[in-house]
Amino acid sequence: MGLISYLKKMKTSQKEAKLLVLGLDNAGKTTILKAISEESIKNIKPTEGFNIKNLAVDGVSLSVWDLGGQKVLREYWSNYFDHTDALIYVVDAADVDRLKEAGEELSKLLGEAELAKVPLLVYANKQDIVHALGADVVTTNLKLDGIKDRKWMIVACSAKQKEGLSEGLEWVIANIKRN
Ligand code: G3D
């Protein structure tokens, strides 16, 4: 049974679910999406002109895009934020040099009015790499303890080894915002 079953389970609890999968480039978002969607990967289409990938699986839509360095794109963000049920923020826990940038982008994101109260799952990805930082250190670096306006959770994972992903998705399903 693949991870797609979690999305199907999610669908039974509400008609449609919209998840945004965000993070810096190279964080592992596409790898996570592939692990979640398995065969449905062929449906992932980069949106022309933007580095946005959209995937729809049985009423669950996933939009994936890179944050940072794309100032022009930012003005279009709000179009994608409407009716978001959950945010999945992916961090490369082995890329210590970019953790600060990842934290800054996350904090901008959480300041967006359309995303108020939307639950946040952080994946501290690439745990298979020896020097990857654990969830506790990533929590401190991203100042997650300061988040008081929404439910949040951090899960250490390795998208490459498909470890930790289902734990994160289960949390998303349990905490998805009821619109
Ligand atoms: P993005 O969609 O966030 O930009 P990708 O990131 O999913 O394209 O992943 C970027 C690179 O990181 C890829 O390597 C991918 O294989 C790798 N990666 C993703 N998740 C993991 C992980 O859990 N562990 C390790 N070790 N690597 C991971 P390439 O070499 O293909 O660019």
Side-chain angles (χ1 to χ4, degrees):
M1 190 169 69
L3 287 174
I4 196 81
S5 60
Y6 287 101
L7 294 175
K8 286 181 176 158
K9 199 159 76 179
M10 185 190 298
K11 202 207 164 195
T12 59
S13 62
Q14 67 176 60
K15 275 190 186 141
E16 282 190 4
K18 180 177 167 187
L19 311 182
L20 294 184
V21 183
L22 307 173
L24 299 182
D25 57 283
N26 207 48
K29 301 178 296 297
T30 309
T31 309
I32 287 173
L33 198 65
K34 284 180 181 171
I36 291 174
S37 57
E38 297 179 340
E39 287 130 85
S40 308
I41 192 70
K42 61 180 180 296
N43 296 324
I44 300 176
K45 294 188 186 75
T47 305
E48 211 167 320
F50 299 94
N51 191 15
I52 297 177
K53 294 169 186 161
N54 289 301
L55 171 71
V57 188
D58 284 350
V60 179
S61 82
L62 292 126
S63 296
V64 181
W65 78 89
D66 296 336
L67 295 180
Q70 298 182 8
K71 306 284 177 254
V72 182
L73 187 56
R74 200 160 290 242
E75 27 184 297
Y76 299 97
W77 273 13
S78 52
N79 297 336
Y80 288 89
F81 287 167
D82 268 1
H83 307 299
T84 298
D85 295 297
L87 285 171
I88 299 178
Y89 195 73
V90 185
V91 177
D92 180 345
D95 191 351
V96 181
D97 293 343
R98 293 185 77 195
L99 212 52
K100 187 165 178 277
E101 186 188 355
E104 286 165 359
E105 292 298 337
L106 175 62
S107 122
K108 283 183 216 163
L109 196 64
L110 298 184
E112 295 286 335
E114 292 97 332
L115 294 176
K117 297 184 181 163
V118 175
L120 168 72
L121 169 71
V122 176
Y123 274 132
N125 190 31
K126 307 200 185 181
Q127 294 295 322
D128 57 286
I129 297 176
V130 176
H131 65 270
L133 301 173
D136 50 347
V137 182
V138 175
T139 297
T140 306
N141 274 274
L142 297 189
K143 301 187 175 76
L144 298 180
D145 285 324
I147 299 175
K148 306 291 182 204
D149 61 344
R150 73 192 70 225
K151 293 177 184 171
W152 64 269
M153 171 72 166
I154 184 165
V155 172
C157 73
S158 166
K160 198 173 180 178
Q161 299 183 334
K162 298 193 181 182
E163 282 174 9
L165 297 180
S166 53
E167 187 191 340
L169 283 181
E170 276 172 11
W171 183 86
V172 167
I173 294 160
N175 290 278
I176 206 156
K177 186 181 159 204
R178 306 279 167 202
N179 286 314

